[in-house]
């Protein structure tokens, strides 16, 4: 286990020892009117995306306040490992890290939740969104040109106009982002195209990002022409950006991540935490109708959905293996970080 | 008889218990064995998947530039996915240093030169099945051991086992029920033969001592043979005693007749009142004795003949009329009148000698117990069954004794001073029973006894 932890140490911000002294990316308290207890929700998702659904929860449970703490997926993993009992709900987009925590016995078994089999693991870890990785392009950069629909298209487009794209391609820094690493490993698993694309991107001096949000902002403001493996869902939360950018889900093979949530065994507020989890995974009313829809929740006709998802299974631990990870990062660095001539 | 039979257990119960108990034991055995077998197979299934996982990790191990690389495939862990989401653990070691994976997994000791070893241990609160596997890597001037440990919790296994157990339990219970039904059936048909024998013996007439001739299963043959021998002996000894009684009565009667005629002759000759009185008592006593001897003889004969009746066509009306005629002198002595109610002949099939005996005894009783100057009424009718009804105007039967008067040598309380041996009604009843009829005793409301001799239609 120390080894996984070491990964965290290697990759994430310098950790402060105490949770409370920690610098969160975002920290927001949803104050309940008849507050009696506070749920501490550890999440990798921007507050703005979840605010509506948390507001709804607080409305329905007027005695439960929710403290929403946001950090990156890898940091989240390490923070939780160190202070498991400080949190009541853990939400993350890094399915592999979440699965590892569950596999290590940190998730509370919650029985009697009717949730599709492929969207849960061991009655502890529950998936509640389906978010495909997308190619996001700046409309201006492709004005009058065919927009790439597949990874192969993208390679051709990049090769066709290297001078346009040099320095203006973005993707996740897989060393820093858990989600980026998950997308990259799943892409690599699915097709060799991934490596060719990385090489092309490397040769064009690709920019590396920690988060989807920043990539989207940079595509929108023209710093980037293309961003690869971005969460399309974030784009919907930026209505004004949508005018400048286009979100393309590659049609060759989709890599779709499911955001997952679990209640740590260590929590002292089990029932409140469980009802929060149920609120997330079983939206009581149609959230999209209420205008709460900022993340694509799993729908109830998921059979064909299950296929395109990254499977929620213990094999996700494979790329967390320290040897595998070292090798993968090595290969990735070799491809994307090329000495500029 | 039955009250004195001592009961010890029941063959049917013992047989059924043995069979059903056996079935239960078999069912439990079946369950245990099949479940054990299933557990073994399920464990083998898990083991072979663990082995596949471990060997695909090991296969990926290579030495590059003096260090070990293990780029194991995604499938190495994905084959460990189970429907019940079992947790998995793994660790990769070079010699004894952990390269990657979980710390402090239990490493099963290898047996001799074996390359795999299994163990089941509690790890993180769950029972976990672990495989250890090893391989020697040879590089340029380098030789090193790489070993892996792969573990998987056993929820899926337990689930499978429980499902199998449930199925096997259902199967076992089904087997048991079937076997129980079968043993019940087998027991029943076995016992049925005994029951049939019992019924056939029970249904016999009281005099029927003939051997059982129905075919018997071999196990029951000795019992039936002994029963037959017993009955044969009983029959012989009964016959012998009847014969003895008849012989004895006969032997007594003849000398009695002689003595009586001497006594009568002497009575003619003596004139002294005192002596005549003694002689008369003597004659009466002789009469009584010879009458009793006669009845004994009759009774013995009836018992003897009841088994083999000689059926003839008898007209009851004629029979009764004849007796009335022969009893008339006696009746006249007591000023008793017979009133007969019978017109058309009533034909029956019966043994004439027995019938005569029966009717004579009943009419004789009526005469004996009737007061002087009274009427004895005799009715013969064919409906509903052929019957003879004899009523008198005497004191009637002692009501509290009605049920016992037909027993042998039983006399009523009202019989004192009347000649008799207590066999008259017994004879009448035995004859009626031998003809599948019966005898009814009752008292008339106005006083007087009523004897109804009923034959079967
Ligand atoms: N016609 C009758 N009237 C009154 N009592 C009778 C009559 N017939 C029989 N009994 C009673 O039934 C008893 C049995 O009769 P039975 O067997 O003929 O023997 P017994 O030789 O004493 O007459 C008699 O002792 C008597 O008490």
């Amino acid at each position: 286990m120390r080894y996984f932890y070491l990964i965290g140490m290697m990759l994430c911000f310098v950790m402060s020892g105490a949770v409370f002294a920690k610098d969160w990316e975002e920290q927001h308290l949803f104050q309940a009117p008849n507050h009696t207890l506070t749920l501490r929700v550890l999440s990798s998702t921007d507050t703005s995306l979840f605010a509506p659904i948390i507001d709804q929860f607080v409305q329905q449970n007027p005695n439960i306040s929710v403290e929403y703490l946001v950090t990156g997926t890898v940091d989240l993993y390490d923070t939780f490992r160190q202070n498991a009992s400080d949190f009541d709900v853990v939400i993350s987009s890094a399915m592999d890290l979440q699965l590892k925590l569950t596999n290590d016995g940190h998730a509370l078994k919650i029985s009697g939740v009717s949730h599709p089999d492929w969207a849960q693991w061991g009655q502890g870890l529950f998936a509640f969104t389906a978010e495909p990785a997308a190619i996001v392009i700046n409309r201006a950069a492709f004005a009058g040109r065919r927009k790439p629909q597949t990874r192969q298209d993208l390679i051709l487009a990049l090769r066709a106009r290297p001078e346009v794209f040099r320095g203006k391609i973005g993707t996740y820094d897989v060393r820093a982002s858990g989600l980026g690493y998950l997308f990259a490993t799943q892409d690599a698993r699915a097709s060799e195209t991934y490596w060719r694309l990385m090489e092309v991107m490397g040769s064009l001096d690709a920019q590396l990002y920690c988060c989807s949000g920043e990539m989207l902002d940079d595509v929108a403001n023209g710093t980037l022409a293309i961003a690869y493996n971005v969460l399309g869902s974030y784009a919907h939360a930026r209505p004004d950006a949508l005018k400048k950018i286009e979100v393309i889900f590659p049609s060759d093979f989709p890599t779709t991540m499911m955001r997952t949530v679990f209640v740590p065994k260590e929590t002292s507020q089990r029932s409140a935490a469980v009802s929060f989890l149920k609120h997330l995974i079983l939206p009581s009313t149609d959230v999209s109708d209420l205008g709460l829809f900022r993340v694509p929740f799993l729908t109830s006709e998921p059979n064909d959905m299950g296929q395109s998802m990254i499977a929620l299974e213990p094999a996700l631990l494979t790329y967390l293996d320290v040897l595998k990870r070292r090798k993968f990062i090595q290969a990735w660095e070799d491809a994307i970080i090329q000495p500029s001539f | 008889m039955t009250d004195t039979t001592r009961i010890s257990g029941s063959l049917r119960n013992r047989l059924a218990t043995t069979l059903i108990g056996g079935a239960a034991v078999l069912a439990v055995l079946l369950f245990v064995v099949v479940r054990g077998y299933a557990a073994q197979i399920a464990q083998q299934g898990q083991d072979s998947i663990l082995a596949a996982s471990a060997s695909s990790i090991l296969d990926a191990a290579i030495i590059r530039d003096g260090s070990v690389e293990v780029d194991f495939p995604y499938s190495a862990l994905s084959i460990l996915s189970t429907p019940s989401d079992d947790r998995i653990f793994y660790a990769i070691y070079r010699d004894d240093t952990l390269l990657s994976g979980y710390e402090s997994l239990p490493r099963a000791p290898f047996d001799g030169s074996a390359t795999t070893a299994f163990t089941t241990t509690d790890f993180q609160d769950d029972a976990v099945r672990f495989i250890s596997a090893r391989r020697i890597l040879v590089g340029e001037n380098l030789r090193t051991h790489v070993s892996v440990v792969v573990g998987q919790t056993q929820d899926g296994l337990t689930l499978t086992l429980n499902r199998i157990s449930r199925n096997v339990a259902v199967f076992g219970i089904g087997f048991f029920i079937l076997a129980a039904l079968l043993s019940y059936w087998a027991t029943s048909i076995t016992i049925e033969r005994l029951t049939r024998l019992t019924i056939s013996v029970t249904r016999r007439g009281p005099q029927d001592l003939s051997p059982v001739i129905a075919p018997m299963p071999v196990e029951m043959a000795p019992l039936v043979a002994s029963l037959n021998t017993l009955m044969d002996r009983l029959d012989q000894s009964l016959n012998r005693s009847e014969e003895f009684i008849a012989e004895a009565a006969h032997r007594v009667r003849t000398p009695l007749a002689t003595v009586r005629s001497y006594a009568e002759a002497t009575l003619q000759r003596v004139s002294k009142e005192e002596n005549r009185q003694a002689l008369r008592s003597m004659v009466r006593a002789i009469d009584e004795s010879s009458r009793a001897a006669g009845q004994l003889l009759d009774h013995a004969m009836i018992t003897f003949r009841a088994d083999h009746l000689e059926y003839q066509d008898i007209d009851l009306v004629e029979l009764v009329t004849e007796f009335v005629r022969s009893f008339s002198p006696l009746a006249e002595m007591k000023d008793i009148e017979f009133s007969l109610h019978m017109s058309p002949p009533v034909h029956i099939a019966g043994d004439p000698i027995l019938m005569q005996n029966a009717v004579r005894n009943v009419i004789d009783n009526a005469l004996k117990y009737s007061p002087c100057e009274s009427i004895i009424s005799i009715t013969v009718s064919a409906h509903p069954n052929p019957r003879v009804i004899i009523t008198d105007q005497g004191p009637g039967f002692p009501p509290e004794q009605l049920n016992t008067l037909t027993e042998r040598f039983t006399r009523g309380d009202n019989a004192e001073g009347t000649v008799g041996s207590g066999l008259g009604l017994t004879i009448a009843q035995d004859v009626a029973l031998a003809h599948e009829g019966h005898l009814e005793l009752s008292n008339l409301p106005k006083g007087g006894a009523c004897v109804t001799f009923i034959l079967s239609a």
Side-chain angles (χ1 to χ4, degrees):
Chain A
M1 255 169 279
R2 184 150 47 88
Y3 287 80
F4 294 101
Y5 166 51
L6 275 177
I7 306 166
M9 286 301 279
M10 266 159 35
L11 299 168
C12 76
F13 321 103
V14 179
M15 301 262 314
S16 52
V19 192
F20 300 101
K22 191 174 161 58
D23 289 329
W24 299 99
E25 283 178 23
E26 293 173 23
Q27 185 171 12
H28 191 282
L29 183 67
F30 295 80
Q31 182 68 48
N34 317 323
H35 162 94
T36 54
L37 56 95
T38 306
L39 280 183
R40 288 172 64 86
V41 178
L42 184 59
S43 171
S44 68
T45 312
D46 293 357
T47 317
S48 58
L49 269 79
F50 276 173
I53 198 147
I54 299 176
D55 279 334
Q56 192 191 34
F57 175 79
V58 174
Q59 252 167 45
Q60 287 168 8
N61 302 273
N63 62 328
I64 306 176
S65 299
V66 175
E67 185 173 16
Y68 191 78
L69 306 163
V70 181
T71 185
T73 47
V74 176
D75 181 47
L76 180 146
Y77 175 83
D78 292 321
T79 309
F80 179 77
R81 274 254 180 248
Q82 285 189 327
N83 305 288
S85 56
D86 281 342
F87 307 99
D88 305 307
V89 178
V90 179
I91 302 170
S92 172
S93 53
M95 294 168 71
D96 46 359
L97 295 174
Q98 291 280 85
L99 194 109
K100 171 134 181 68
L101 290 175
T102 310
N103 188 60
D104 292 356
H106 285 292
L108 182 69
K109 251 194 184 44
I110 302 168
S111 47
V113 182
S114 71
H115 208 51
D117 237 10
W118 53 263
Q120 60 157 305
W121 195 75
Q123 291 181 309
L125 185 64
F126 297 87
F128 64 102
T129 69
E131 303 173 52
I135 301 169
V136 177
I137 58 170
N138 183 299
R139 288 180 197 268
F142 280 84
R145 292 185 174 261
R146 214 174 71 81
K147 288 155 190 160
Q149 297 303 319
T150 64
R151 291 171 180 78
Q152 191 61 37
D153 284 356
L154 184 59
I155 292 172
L156 295 178
L158 293 179
R159 283 194 177 142
R161 296 187 292 161
E163 67 295 341
V164 176
F165 295 113
R166 186 172 306 278
K168 300 190 83 174
I169 318 161
T171 190
Y172 270 115
D173 183 347
V174 302
R175 297 164 300 186
S177 160
L179 178 60
Y181 184 69
L182 177 68
F183 276 155
T185 51
Q186 293 295 327
D187 273 3
R189 196 163 81 80
S191 162
E192 274 299 311
T193 318
Y194 174 76
W195 289 116
R196 284 198 283 126
L197 180 59
M198 284 304 113
E199 264 161 32
V200 175
M201 284 170 71
S203 69
L204 293 175
D205 188 19
Q207 305 299 304
L208 301 179
Y209 287 80
C210 76
C211 324
S212 280
E214 291 172 21
M215 266 190 276
L216 279 170
D217 291 343
D218 281 0
V219 177
N221 66 28
T223 316
L224 291 180
I226 299 179
Y228 177 68
N229 268 357
V230 183
L231 279 182
S233 46
Y234 278 54
H236 295 282
R238 292 172 165 74
D240 37 307
L242 271 177
K243 290 175 212 135
K244 305 213 178 88
I245 62 177
E246 182 166 343
V247 178
I248 301 165
F249 298 115
S251 58
D252 45 358
F253 58 90
T255 308
T256 305
M257 167 276 282
M258 296 186 285
R259 222 170 272 274
T260 54
V261 57
F262 70 90
V263 172
K265 234 180 207 156
E266 296 83 352
T267 176
S268 52
Q269 313 186 98
R270 283 195 178 181
S271 66
V274 167
S275 56
F276 184 84
L277 179 141
K278 286 185 176 164
H279 181 78
L280 268 191
I281 65 172
L282 313 163
S284 48
T285 42
D286 192 351
V287 276
S288 53
D289 283 359
L290 285 173
L292 301 178
F293 185 84
R294 302 228 175 131
V295 264
F297 281 89
L298 286 179
T299 52
S300 48
E301 65 275 0
N303 275 343
D304 42 310
M305 252 177 136
Q307 321 265 306
S308 63
M309 304 290 173
I310 297 173
L312 202 53
E313 55 171 17
L316 285 172
L317 304 188
T318 308
Y319 284 103
L320 295 182
D321 181 82
V322 72
L323 299 177
K324 294 270 303 181
R325 185 182 171 96
R326 196 185 296 147
K327 198 166 155 50
F328 186 86
I329 300 271
Q330 185 75 54
W332 180 82
E333 282 177 341
D334 287 351
I336 203 124
I337 304 172
Q338 293 177 5
S340 35
F341 302 97
Chain B
M1 276 294 271
T2 30
D3 339 356
T4 60
T5 312
R6 288 173 46 203
I7 306 281
S8 152
S10 143
L11 274 186
R12 171 199 286 266
N13 289 354
R14 200 180 300 173
L15 202 61
T17 322
T18 316
L19 289 175
I20 293 175
V25 170
L26 276 184
V28 171
L29 208 71
L30 182 93
F31 176 79
V32 171
V33 169
V34 173
R35 197 187 178 283
Y37 192 55
Q40 207 180 326
I41 289 183
Q43 188 60 74
Q44 273 169 14
Q46 187 183 32
D47 286 355
S48 67
I49 291 175
L50 282 172
S53 169
S55 81
S56 78
I57 294 176
L58 274 186
D59 285 349
I62 50 167
I63 297 184
R64 179 171 293 163
D65 305 333
S67 74
V68 174
E69 283 185 8
V70 189
D71 189 13
F72 61 88
Y74 208 68
S75 63
L77 298 185
S78 75
I79 55 170
L80 295 174
S81 285
T82 61
S84 44
D85 294 340
D86 278 300
R87 299 162 63 190
I88 64 170
F89 309 96
Y90 76 94
I92 304 173
Y93 304 86
R94 172 181 183 173
D95 296 317
D96 278 323
T97 5
L98 183 68
L99 289 182
S100 73
Y102 285 75
E103 276 182 326
S104 65
L105 292 187
R107 303 173 69 183
F110 293 103
D111 220 4
S113 63
T115 55
T116 54
F118 290 95
T119 176
T120 307
T121 344
D122 269 357
F123 185 76
Q124 292 191 359
D125 310 330
D126 268 322
V128 181
R129 182 73 170 170
F130 283 105
I131 181 178
S132 303
R134 63 179 173 184
R135 186 183 154 200
I136 298 171
L137 280 186
V138 185
E140 289 163 49
N141 54 48
L142 183 70
R143 219 179 121 86
T144 181
H145 275 279
V146 176
S147 61
V148 305
V149 174
V150 181
Q152 185 183 35
T153 54
Q154 302 201 295
D155 298 352
L157 192 81
T158 317
L159 208 72
T160 316
L161 265 187
N162 287 347
R163 205 179 50 236
I164 293 176
S165 300
R166 239 192 337 272
N167 288 347
V168 176
V170 168
F171 183 67
I173 290 171
F175 171 81
F176 172 73
I177 290 174
L178 211 72
L181 286 180
L182 228 95
S183 27
Y184 178 78
W185 176 73
T187 313
S188 296
I189 59 165
T190 312
I191 296 298
E192 198 210 83
R193 299 304 301 258
L194 269 179
T195 319
R196 245 194 287 162
L197 176 67
T198 314
I199 289 174
S200 85
V201 172
T202 317
R203 281 230 188 103
R204 288 168 168 233
Q207 317 295 336
D208 186 358
L209 290 175
S210 62
V212 176
I213 47 168
M216 285 296 146
V218 67
E219 292 80 4
M220 281 166 64
L223 171 69
V224 172
S226 333
L227 189 68
N228 282 345
T229 331
L230 181 72
M231 286 201 294
D232 187 43
R233 287 209 309 267
L234 197 64
D235 194 27
Q236 275 176 19
S237 81
L238 265 182
N239 282 344
R240 231 179 291 134
S241 59
E242 292 292 349
E243 269 164 34
F244 173 77
I245 292 169
E247 182 73 21
H250 185 68
R251 297 238 169 173
V252 172
R253 213 155 52 149
T254 325
L256 275 181
T258 321
V259 175
R260 189 183 193 273
S261 57
Y262 279 120
E264 291 233 290
T266 317
L267 188 62
Q268 303 299 315
R269 275 186 270 122
V270 293
S271 52
K272 202 171 175 188
E273 191 51 31
E274 207 177 79
N275 293 348
R276 287 177 69 88
Q277 196 63 41
L279 277 172
R280 262 191 228 110
S281 317
M282 200 167 129
V283 171
R284 196 162 346 111
I286 292 168
D287 278 352
E288 219 166 301
S289 302
S290 77
R291 185 190 158 85
Q295 275 189 322
L296 270 178
L297 201 59
D298 286 348
H299 184 259
M301 180 191 60
I302 287 159
T303 315
F304 182 69
R305 280 181 83 122
D307 286 346
H308 10 77
L309 294 179
E310 282 164 23
Y311 283 104
Q312 281 177 22
D313 180 62
I314 306 170
D315 179 5
L316 277 185
V317 172
E318 197 186 309
L319 187 113
V320 170
T321 319
E322 222 153 81
F323 273 116
V324 169
R325 200 177 302 131
S326 68
F327 273 115
S328 288
L330 210 62
E332 270 163 27
M333 277 170 35
K334 286 179 85 176
D335 272 337
I336 292 174
E337 217 177 280
F338 284 107
S339 142
L340 304 184
H341 308 274
M342 44 197 173
S343 40
V346 177
H347 286 280
I348 59 150
D351 189 309
I353 299 183
L354 297 196
M355 285 313 247
Q356 283 165 12
N357 249 311
V359 173
R360 187 179 58 234
N361 272 294
V362 180
I363 297 179
D364 189 42
N365 271 355
L367 277 172
K368 272 198 306 191
Y369 295 100
S370 284
C372 294
E373 296 183 29
S374 64
I375 297 174
I376 294 177
S377 125
I378 305 180
T379 312
V380 177
S381 85
H383 299 286
N385 291 348
R387 61 183 62 201
V388 182
I389 306 163
I390 299 163
T391 60
D392 60 44
Q393 296 176 331
F397 300 107
E400 68 283 0
Q401 285 182 300
L402 267 179
N403 293 327
T404 55
L405 292 177
T406 52
E407 280 166 22
R408 262 200 268 183
F409 303 114
T410 306
R411 309 204 62 202
D413 294 339
N414 59 339
E416 229 165 291
T418 318
V419 188
S421 56
L423 277 174
L425 288 180
T426 316
I427 291 173
Q429 168 158 291
D430 284 355
V431 172
L433 290 177
H435 288 81
E436 283 161 15
H438 62 281
L439 192 73
E440 276 176 20
L441 305 184
S442 59
N443 286 323
L444 296 176
K446 288 176 272 175
C450 171
V451 179
T452 313
F453 182 84
I454 305 170
L455 295 165
S456 72

